[in-house]
Amino acid sequence: MREIAAGIRLASLLSGVALAAGIGLADGSPYASLRAARPAGPGLTVSNLVLERDAFRFRFESGSFQMLPFVEGRAVGAVFSGQGTVELTPASEAEARHFAMVSGEKLAAAFTDRFQSLVLLFGDGTAAEIESRATPGAAPPAAGKIWEDFSRKQRKVLRTNLQIRLLRGILAPEDSGVFLAAFAGKKLPFSLVAVDPAGLDWLSLQFRLGSEESALFAMEEPNAGFWYLSHSRGEPVHPPRPIARASHYQIETTILRNGDIRGSTTIRFIAAGPRLRVLPLALTGKLRIREAALTCGAGSPALPVQVIQEIATEDSDAAAVLPSSPAAGQPCDLRIAYEGKDVLQNAGDGVFVVQARESWYPNFGTFSDPSTFDLTYRVPKANQVVSVGKQMEDRVEGDLRVSVWKSDQPIRVAGFNYGNFKKIQYEDRASGVRIDVYTNPGTPDVVNEINQYLAQAGSRGSASGPFASTSGSLGMHEVRVDTDSIAQAALADGTNAARVCTAYFGRLPQDHVSITEQTQWSFGQSWPSLVFLPYLSFLDGTTRRELGLANTAAFVDQVGLHEFAHQWWGHLVGWSSYRDQWLSEGFAEFSAGLILEHTGGLKGAGAFWERARRWIVMKPPQSSLANDAAGPMTSGYRLMTRRNPAAYDAMVYAKGAYVLHMIRMLLRDPASPNPDEKFKAMMQDFVTANSGKSPSTRDFQDAVERHMTPSLNATRDGKADWFFQQWVYGSEIPRFKVSLEIEKKDGDNYRLKGTVAQEGVSAGFRSLLPIYVEFGKGELSRFGTVPLEGTEPFSVDVVLHMTKKPKRVVANALHDVLARD
């Protein structure tokens, strides 16, 4: 997806899914007991008790615990009051730097803080460790208050149902190793420490935490977020371990005249392990689950399934509690019926906004395992649905339009647009893709809002392009949308994107892509075979200037190309976890630059890469640090903090694109009739090897190394470690100092002499800096590459034979290497 200021609200990082009050488990069930638990019984006095959990070391110097009641014979938590310390020893330098940046502490090998109260929830052996070192004593007098304060923060601030994870361990004891600690320190705000050998992906289905097992999440604004998130110390990195894999979704959706939704989804799945009882579900809180049933095996009866759903505005994650564990390898169907409102927002005059973009149907987490989809929509007959997949039927039944769509090719997420549309299409033989463009012929509320703004501002001028003024003057403030012009522009962008991306990355498995208008102002998004364009992209330059949005031109020019490129990057080829999301967003952004190069030449491409370079090293007005100081792009959305709110966009989108551009330039052979032949071969190999998969950054490095060239083989070991460690896992950016002169010698010979060096990098930092000779305006010839290591200058003294008189020598002329200036 692409936004002007792409980002994620930190307050919702762990919100998972938000559900309104509804079905809950009966009193006396293990889940109900977990939710009702309060500290009770005698106290346990401790002195210098130490609990070590991965990177965290808790020392309870003095004080006492009061346990929560047992559930199904198992200890599940305790409350502590007294004096204690917590020590964090990060597993990597990158995590240590990130913690130092967000906490404001100096970078150190370990961080220590003090606490006076703490809540523990656990499924491991914590209770036994406490009891082995404790003596009976009085219960902490403040235990009840400590618990109530934590419970309120869990429900209203953290908004994550921790009891669902505890329930997993109670119903499947082999999955009970989770350890959670909630406390406020002298330095730390109220925080949650989570250590789970099974991985922490359950903390947020939305943000793809992957298989990382150890975290510290600061709950309180203005700096809420993951201050620490890592794999366990000393443990090998392994791919995410889902508890179930969905293979097919059958979704029935009815949209009522008021925009409310009724639906049912049947998920066919296979349990990933032998003891599956609790299935987390992603579903917007605007939709209420009414019933659920499970069928395993042909001819088996449908068994009712209990569903966990707490209050919509609190810790509202949803989960299905299966009546028994499915047999290993046994396909099962989970059917869920639901209804609710506010999934769709009426934007006026036949235009609607789909607000619950990835959670309008229950799922196990989007953008993970691809599944096939059958989708049926029933809507008021005046409107249409444009969906993922291929349209199989479109018929009218009474007052309803029934639209049936099918995706035989497995996809990662389902989406749809809804409204009153006008359609044009173009069959592009070069790419093999049919492009359908849907625009709304009405006047949505946003246009009326624009006109009201212009009227109040008293602007004067004339409108042209997609917008026109019925009076001939913006001063009369009668702006209207020319949907024909919008559709033609979107069609042209889609065609160019399809052709360039197909030539470089290979053909798409589907034969069409629908580009649709939607009225959210600056937010574009791509689905498999479906693109949402933000309404800002429909405004011409004159109107944007009238609205004070003149600096959005680059975004408008690129957003459609970026979203179309997601058909390859994000949908055809996914990404493993949030640390690998640059393989989607960065690659899509690179593709936009590539398309601009092929449509606008080197001048357009140069402007694109210069904007990206400046954005990467910029310190935006709302930031206290430059974007690149936030850390490596493998920190993903965690880069966006109070100190660096724009860093996620700059690093994952812009730097991710730049890194791929640098690899392209290292593989490029300017003397070849097809200079990008090696790059195309590498990218198409990566797509072929990972189509329908979720590769990691390591997987992409493997693809690069399969296509190793002498220019990439800087360390002469056939590896690209030097490049990836610097540019992907690192955050250094060099500044180049070039002092080269060229002088005429005899005949057509010229002498090039001088030095080249880099500054602001560590001793082992390598750069391969191309040197170009410019003969005339825009006429460049690359004559060689200068290898640099550390800050040691490289001397150049070479005689060149040139039949044309050179104008000047230029280093890094095509933005070959990311530099500070």
Side-chain angles (χ1 to χ4, degrees):
M1 65 183 65
R2 198 66 173 98
E3 294 184 82
I4 291 179
I8 302 163
R9 291 185 304 165
L10 288 174
S12 65
L13 279 179
L14 282 183
S15 62
V17 291
L19 303 168
I23 299 174
L25 296 189
D27 291 345
S29 70
Y31 174 74
S33 297
L34 285 169
R35 291 294 291 192
R38 300 292 184 272
L44 294 171
T45 301
V46 295
S47 175
N48 287 322
L49 166 68
V50 175
L51 297 178
E52 294 195 35
R53 297 294 184 271
D54 187 45
F56 299 94
R57 189 171 190 264
F58 292 90
R59 179 183 292 275
F60 300 90
E61 296 171 345
S62 63
S64 58
F65 285 93
Q66 189 173 27
M67 307 297 286
L68 298 182
F70 281 25
V71 177
E72 298 292 294
R74 296 176 61 89
V76 295
V79 173
F80 172 80
S81 179
Q83 298 294 324
T85 62
V86 58
E87 182 178 285
L88 167 63
T89 305
S92 66
E93 182 180 352
E95 282 302 312
R97 290 187 177 278
H98 182 82
F99 185 86
M101 186 189 70
V102 295
S103 67
E105 295 291 313
K106 292 183 179 180
L107 183 65
F111 165 83
T112 302
D113 198 4
R114 299 194 63 81
F115 58 84
Q116 293 181 316
S117 63
L118 177 143
V119 170
L120 294 176
L121 297 173
F122 45 75
D124 61 358
T126 298
E129 291 184 63
I130 294 173
E131 291 171 353
S132 69
R133 294 288 307 275
T135 58
K145 184 179 184 304
I146 294 168
W147 174 263
E148 292 301 330
D149 183 57
F150 157 74
S151 181
R152 180 184 59 81
K153 285 186 168 69
Q154 176 191 328
R155 291 182 287 108
K156 297 182 178 295
V157 181
L158 185 62
R159 294 182 60 196
T160 295
N161 192 330
L162 304 176
Q163 284 76 21
I164 291 177
R165 177 61 186 94
L166 296 177
L167 182 66
R168 278 174 48 185
I170 289 173
L171 299 182
E174 64 271 26
D175 191 20
S176 60
V178 65
F179 172 90
L180 306 170
F183 62 96
K186 298 293 185 182
K187 306 172 187 176
L188 289 170
F190 198 85
S191 301
L192 176 75
V193 165
V195 180
D196 191 345
L200 293 172
D201 214 17
W202 60 271
L203 272 174
S204 175
L205 296 179
Q206 182 180 0
F207 293 109
R208 303 283 301 281
L209 300 186
S211 59
E212 294 180 323
E213 301 101 342
S214 191
L216 185 150
F217 184 85
M219 295 189 200
E220 297 174 346
E221 296 289 2
N223 208 13
F226 283 105
W227 288 19
Y228 179 79
L229 183 58
S230 175
H231 288 282
S232 296
R233 300 172 62 193
E235 294 292 326
V237 176
H238 49 78
R241 297 165 289 188
I243 60 176
R245 296 183 181 276
S247 61
H248 182 72
Y249 286 83
Q250 182 172 325
I251 304 174
E252 302 268 347
T253 302
T254 298
I255 299 175
L256 307 180
R257 290 191 179 277
N258 62 0
D260 288 3
I261 281 182
R262 293 176 184 163
S264 69
T265 294
T266 299
I267 310 172
R268 176 155 293 178
F269 70 94
I270 294 177
R275 292 276 292 169
L276 174 65
R277 290 291 308 280
V278 181
L279 263 176
L281 299 170
L283 183 70
T284 178
K286 307 298 183 180
L287 294 174
R288 301 306 306 140
I289 296 176
R290 294 308 175 201
E291 61 179 6
L294 180 72
T295 304
C296 292
S300 299
L303 302 176
V305 170
Q306 294 178 313
V307 177
I308 297 169
Q309 252 188 331
E310 297 295 340
I311 298 173
T313 56
E314 297 189 356
D315 57 336
S316 50
D317 310 290
V321 182
L322 307 185
S324 60
S325 300
Q330 172 70 63
C332 293
D333 290 337
L334 176 64
R335 183 183 180 276
I336 304 163
Y338 45 89
E339 62 183 40
K341 60 183 180 178
D342 296 335
V343 171
L344 292 170
Q345 175 189 346
N346 191 332
D349 207 3
V351 179
F352 291 82
V353 175
V354 182
Q355 298 191 107
R357 296 192 175 196
E358 295 161 19
S359 56
W360 61 275
Y361 64 98
N363 60 78
F364 295 166
T366 55
F367 294 100
S368 53
D369 293 321
S371 308
T372 54
F373 281 79
D374 287 319
L375 305 109
T376 300
Y377 304 88
R378 292 174 174 83
V379 306
K381 66 180 180 181
N383 293 331
Q384 300 111 3
V385 165
V386 186
S387 175
V388 299
K390 181 179 292 187
Q391 189 170 33
M392 310 302 293
E393 293 183 53
D394 184 23
R395 66 183 189 271
V396 174
E397 295 181 354
D399 292 335
L400 294 179
R401 179 181 298 277
V402 180
S403 184
V404 179
W405 300 73
K406 187 179 185 66
S407 174
D408 292 324
Q409 181 76 26
I411 59 177
R412 302 170 193 277
V413 62
F416 70 97
N417 207 346
Y418 172 63
N420 183 7
F421 295 114
K422 180 180 178 181
K423 173 184 174 182
I424 65 171
Q425 67 180 44
Y426 176 69
E427 294 272 0
D428 184 50
R429 295 183 179 179
S431 63
V433 177
R434 187 188 79 244
I435 299 162
D436 302 328
V437 179
Y438 294 83
T439 52
N440 181 272
T443 303
D445 294 342
V446 66
V447 172
N448 296 325
E449 292 169 6
I450 290 172
N451 285 329
Q452 291 172 11
Y453 173 85
L454 293 174
Q456 293 169 0
S459 14
R460 291 293 184 269
S462 60
S464 59
F467 277 82
S469 170
T470 57
S471 66
S473 169
L474 279 175
M476 298 299 292
H477 318 299
E478 289 293 329
V479 176
R480 61 179 177 82
V481 181
D482 182 348
T483 54
D484 291 337
S485 296
I486 291 170
Q488 291 297 330
L491 191 66
D493 280 350
T495 302
N496 289 330
R499 290 177 178 178
V500 173
C501 291
T502 297
Y504 274 79
F505 314 133
R507 286 185 177 267
L508 290 173
Q510 75 266 22
D511 61 2
H512 80 283
V513 175
S514 298
I515 301 174
T516 65
E517 171 190 339
Q518 57 92 39
T519 58
Q520 285 189 316
W521 187 246
S522 60
F523 186 86
Q525 189 165 354
S526 179
W527 311 88
S529 73
L530 174 63
V531 171
F532 285 178
L533 286 186
Y535 209 76
L536 181 62
S537 65
F538 303 151
L539 304 183
D540 71 336
T542 301
T543 303
R544 293 199 304 271
R545 285 193 297 274
E546 293 281 348
L547 296 171
L549 300 171
N551 62 348
T552 61
F555 170 80
V556 171
D557 291 342
Q558 298 164 25
V559 63
L561 308 178
H562 175 103
E563 298 303 340
F564 203 103
H566 271 309
Q567 298 302 311
W568 283 265
W569 311 120
H571 297 313
L572 181 58
V573 177
W575 68 96
S576 182
S577 80
Y578 76 96
R579 292 190 181 274
D580 310 294
Q581 197 165 359
W582 75 280
L583 298 177
S584 172
E585 300 297 356
F587 279 35
E589 192 75 348
F590 164 83
S591 302
L594 187 66
I595 297 160
L596 289 173
E597 177 184 324
H598 280 265
T599 57
L602 290 179
K603 183 177 180 180
F608 175 90
W609 292 116
E610 178 59 16
R611 285 192 301 270
R613 186 197 67 78
R614 291 187 179 189
W615 182 228
I616 293 165
V617 300
M618 178 188 294
K619 178 186 173 184
Q622 70 273 29
S623 300
S624 59
L625 296 171
N627 287 329
D628 65 287
M633 59 193 191
T634 49
S635 291
Y637 66 84
R638 295 173 59 211
L639 292 164
M640 191 190 70
T641 68
R642 176 172 57 95
R643 301 181 73 191
N644 293 82
Y648 169 71
D649 180 83
M651 296 295 102
V652 174
Y653 286 70
K655 189 182 178 185
Y658 222 118
V659 164
L660 188 56
H661 174 67
M662 291 166 62
I663 292 174
R664 176 198 178 195
M665 300 310 288
L666 285 169
L667 293 174
R668 190 173 175 83
D669 181 2
S672 169
N674 184 0
D676 281 329
E677 181 177 8
K678 295 175 182 177
F679 177 73
K680 289 178 179 178
M682 185 267 291
M683 295 302 289
Q684 291 177 22
D685 176 22
F686 180 61
V687 170
T688 300
N690 293 284
S691 178
K693 299 178 182 178
S694 299
S696 65
T697 298
R698 177 68 245 188
D699 293 324
F700 177 60
Q701 181 177 340
D702 290 343
V704 172
E705 291 175 351
R706 288 196 297 270
H707 296 264
M708 181 62 68
T709 62
S711 57
L712 256 174
N713 195 17
T715 49
R716 302 294 182 265
D717 57 359
K719 302 294 183 183
D721 288 340
W722 70 274
F723 182 91
F724 279 78
Q725 289 300 320
Q726 290 178 183
W727 293 108
V728 178
Y729 302 107
S731 54
E732 292 182 276
I733 298 175
R735 174 175 283 110
F736 295 113
K737 291 293 183 181
V738 179
S739 179
L740 294 174
E741 295 182 354
I742 190 164
E743 61 181 22
K744 183 84 164 61
K745 290 182 67 67
D746 55 299
D748 292 332
N749 294 322
Y750 294 81
R751 185 181 186 186
L752 180 64
K753 186 177 181 180
T755 60
V756 180
Q758 58 183 355
E759 298 177 346
V761 293
S762 56
F765 192 96
R766 297 175 183 270
S767 292
L768 301 175
L769 187 67
I771 307 296
Y772 295 82
V773 175
E774 183 179 7
F775 297 102
K777 188 174 182 180
E779 186 181 357
L780 293 168
S781 177
R782 191 177 81 184
F783 79 86
T785 299
V786 174
L788 300 172
E789 185 171 353
T791 55
E792 188 70 22
F794 186 92
S795 297
V796 178
D797 191 349
V798 63
V799 175
L800 305 174
H801 182 79
M802 293 179 284
T803 57
K804 289 184 179 182
K805 181 180 179 180
K807 181 180 178 181
R808 61 174 181 151
V809 178
V810 184
N812 212 20
L814 300 181
H815 291 83
D816 309 73
V817 184
L818 177 59
R820 292 210 166 271
D821 50 29

